[in-house]
């Protein structure tokens, strides 16, 4: 019987490009997921992967559409921006715009901000689920969908491994927000980023024990959450780090 492989992708803004470095390495080792779970940037990467795009194809789409690049929006300081700017890109890449049309099952995590609940989307409107999951608070207007309001899934769960538990023989975890532990100074722009991921650190670490392979490239906070200018560098950095895990990957015996 075929080994069932699940992959969980964390959030991370532009750092989500690092998920693609892992996927490229897995492609080269002949490993394909049977089911995917992702939040925020991980939901975006996961959706394209579940639709059958290769790591390199996804990288080119994200760079062209500036999907993770919010630096220009941040500088304008005109209040909250709408996610609908990305809608046409998703419709172009996912013409049927449904979970049911994907090559492999996908779970997308979002936060219902009105009910204060975590929601896992796995059927229906794909683009709305992606936008809900990646709607960063304080940057974008909440996404109105299913008679409620959604914001970034990473607010409540930045490593949504739960949908994979009990469904997979092998779970691969990809987390792209590793923090440099000792720094001499932190810029004002990075304080919120650092505080958020420090707060999430213990809950993520507990979940890594359920992973048969855990991918966390070191010092990822060297890369901006909001800017794609280093997309190629992040991709190369994460890909080469993934290759250092060759022994662990081959030990999965998939």
């Amino acid at each position: 019987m075929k080994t069932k492989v699940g992959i969980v992708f964390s959030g991370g803004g532009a750092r989500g490009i690092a998920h693609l470095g892992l996927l490229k390495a897995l492609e080269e080792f002949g490993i394909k997921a049977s089911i995917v779970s992702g939040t925020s940037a991980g939901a975006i990467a996961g959706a394209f992967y579940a639709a059958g795009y290769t790591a390199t194809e996804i990288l080119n789409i994200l760079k062209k559409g500036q999907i993770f690049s919010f630096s220009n929006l941040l500088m304008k300081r005109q209040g909250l921006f709408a996610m609908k700017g990305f809608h046409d890109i998703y419709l172009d890449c996912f013409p049927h715009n449904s979970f049911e049309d994907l090559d492999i099952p996908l779970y997308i995590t979002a936060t219902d901000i009105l009910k204060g609940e975590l929601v896992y989307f796995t059927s229906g409107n794909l683009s709305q689920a992606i936008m809900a999951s990646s709607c960063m608070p304080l940057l974008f207007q909440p996404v109105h969908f299913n008679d409620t309001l959604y914001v970034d899934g990473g607010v409540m769960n930045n490593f949504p491994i739960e949908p994979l538990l009990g469904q997979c023989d092998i779970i691969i975890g990809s987390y792209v927000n590793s923090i440099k532990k000792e720094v001499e100074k932190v810029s004002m722009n990075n304080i919120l980023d650092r505080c958020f991921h420090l707060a999430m650190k213990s809950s993520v670490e507990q979940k890594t024990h359920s992973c048969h392979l855990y991918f966390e490239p070191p010092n990822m906070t060297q890369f901006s959450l909001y800017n794609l200018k280093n997309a190629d560098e992040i991709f190369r950095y994460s890909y080469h780090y993934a290759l250092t895990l060759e022994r662990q990957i081959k030990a999965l015996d998939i």
Side-chain angles (χ1 to χ4, degrees):
M1 189 170 69
K2 183 180 178 182
T3 302
K4 196 167 186 179
V5 179
I7 303 182
V8 51
F9 296 114
S10 74
R15 296 173 196 145
I17 295 293
H19 295 311
L20 308 183
L22 171 63
L23 289 179
K24 179 173 172 59
L26 293 179
E27 287 170 5
E28 293 175 357
F29 287 113
I31 296 174
K32 178 75 173 178
S34 310
I35 184 171
V36 171
S37 177
T39 193
S40 196
I44 297 172
F48 281 101
Y49 177 71
Y53 290 95
T54 67
T56 303
E57 288 171 342
I58 300 170
L59 175 65
N60 291 333
I61 291 169
L62 299 183
K63 285 166 57 179
K64 183 179 179 181
Q66 292 291 295
I67 294 289
F68 295 139
S69 193
F70 308 131
S71 56
N72 291 333
L73 299 181
L74 288 176
M75 289 189 294
K76 291 178 183 177
R77 296 185 180 179
Q78 295 173 344
L80 299 177
F81 294 83
M83 291 296 299
K84 62 183 180 182
F86 301 122
H87 192 238
D88 289 345
I89 297 171
Y90 296 141
L91 291 185
D92 185 52
C93 295
F94 311 116
H96 293 94
N97 195 27
S98 72
F99 281 83
E100 289 77 10
D101 197 55
L102 297 173
D103 292 349
I104 58 177
L106 170 69
Y107 288 87
I108 286 181
T109 306
T111 300
D112 184 329
I113 200 63
L114 297 185
K115 297 176 183 176
E117 295 177 351
L118 194 68
V119 176
Y120 295 108
F121 294 107
T122 189
S123 62
N125 190 310
L126 180 61
S127 64
Q128 288 286 358
I130 297 171
M131 290 188 292
S133 180
S134 57
C135 185
M136 291 185 180
L138 306 181
L139 178 58
F140 291 105
Q141 297 169 352
V143 172
H144 188 271
F145 181 44
N146 289 347
D147 297 321
T148 190
L149 295 176
Y150 295 100
V151 297
D152 199 298
V155 169
M156 293 189 69
N157 190 346
N158 206 32
F159 194 69
I161 194 172
E162 290 80 1
L164 304 182
L165 299 176
Q167 292 204 65
C168 306
D169 303 303
I170 299 290
I171 295 179
I172 298 172
S174 182
Y175 185 74
V176 296
N177 297 292
S178 56
I179 299 170
K180 188 175 181 180
K181 291 186 177 180
E182 296 183 16
V183 294
E184 294 181 0
K185 61 181 180 179
V186 180
S187 70
M188 288 300 296
N189 290 336
N190 292 332
I191 285 178
L192 183 61
D193 173 27
R194 189 170 177 84
C195 287
F196 176 75
H197 290 107
L198 282 170
M200 297 290 294
K201 186 173 174 61
S202 60
S203 65
V204 171
E205 284 182 347
Q206 291 175 7
K207 297 179 186 183
T208 63
H209 299 302
S210 298
C211 296
H212 299 82
L213 175 72
Y214 181 61
F215 173 78
E216 184 181 350
N219 192 20
M220 283 297 293
T221 49
Q222 67 182 295
F223 301 113
S224 168
L225 272 173
Y226 309 112
N227 201 316
L228 272 178
K229 67 179 181 179
N230 298 119
D232 290 322
E233 182 183 354
I234 295 172
F235 184 68
R236 288 193 299 269
Y237 177 76
S238 58
Y239 168 66
H240 289 300
Y241 179 74
L243 292 181
T244 70
L245 304 179
E246 179 177 0
R247 181 178 297 179
Q248 295 97 306
I249 294 173
K250 288 184 175 180
L252 296 176
D253 195 25
I254 300 173

